[in-house]
C-alpha cells in the first residue's frame, strides 16, 4: 500500500485545491521534501514527503478540490 500523502488540517479552512505537484509518478522522494502545493483562498501551503521512496500514485491531479485528511498520493519505500 505504501505511505499515504494526506492534506493537513488548516485552521478555519474547509475546502482546498491542489496547486501543483513538484514530482511525477516514479520520481524518487526524500522525507521532508516538498511534494505538492495546496491552495486556500488566500495562501499556498506545501505538503512535504512523509517518507523516503518513490512517488507511486497521484490520486488528486493539479486543480483538484480536496478536504483536510484527503489522501492525494502515495509513496512506496524501496
Amino acid at each position: 500500500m505504501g505511505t499515504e500523502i494526506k492534506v493537513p488540517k488548516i485552521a478555519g479552512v474547509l475546502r482546498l485545491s491542489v496547486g501543483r505537484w513538484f514530482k511525477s509518478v516514479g520520481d524518487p522522494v526524500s522525507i521532508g521534501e516538498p511534494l505538492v502545493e495546496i491552495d486556500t483562498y488566500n495562501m499556498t501551503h506545501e505538503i512535504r514527503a512523509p517518507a523516503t521512496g518513490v512517488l507511486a500514485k497521484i490520486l488528486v491531479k493539479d486543480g483538484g478540490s480536496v478536504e483536510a485528511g484527503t489522501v492525494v498520493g502515495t509513496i512506496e519505500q524501496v
Side-chain angles (χ1 to χ4, degrees), residues 1-6 21 23-27 29 35-36 50 53-61 71-77:
M1 166 132 188
T3 302
E4 296 177 333
I5 304 163
K6 291 185 180 182
W21 284 87
K23 297 282 188 170
S24 298
V25 171
D27 286 350
V29 298
L35 290 181
V36 61
V54 173
L55 183 59
K57 292 182 185 175
I58 292 177
L59 302 173
V60 181
K61 306 258 187 236
V71 176
V72 294
T74 61
I75 296 171
E76 291 292 330
Q77 296 178 351

Side-chain angles (χ1 to χ4, degrees), residues 2-65:
T3 302
E4 296 177 333
I5 304 163
K6 291 185 180 182
V7 175
K9 291 184 181 183
I10 300 172
V13 178
L14 299 176
R15 297 297 287 176
L16 307 108
S17 64
V18 174
R20 70 181 173 111
W21 284 87
F22 300 121
K23 297 282 188 170
S24 298
V25 171
D27 286 350
V29 298
S30 297
I31 193 166
E33 180 178 12
L35 290 181
V36 61
E37 285 180 342
I38 299 295
D39 296 325
T40 68
Y41 60 94
N42 64 352
M43 294 182 76
T44 299
H45 301 271
E46 290 180 346
I47 297 177
R48 296 183 176 272
T52 296
V54 173
L55 183 59
K57 292 182 185 175
I58 292 177
L59 302 173
V60 181
K61 306 258 187 236
D62 296 359
S65 182

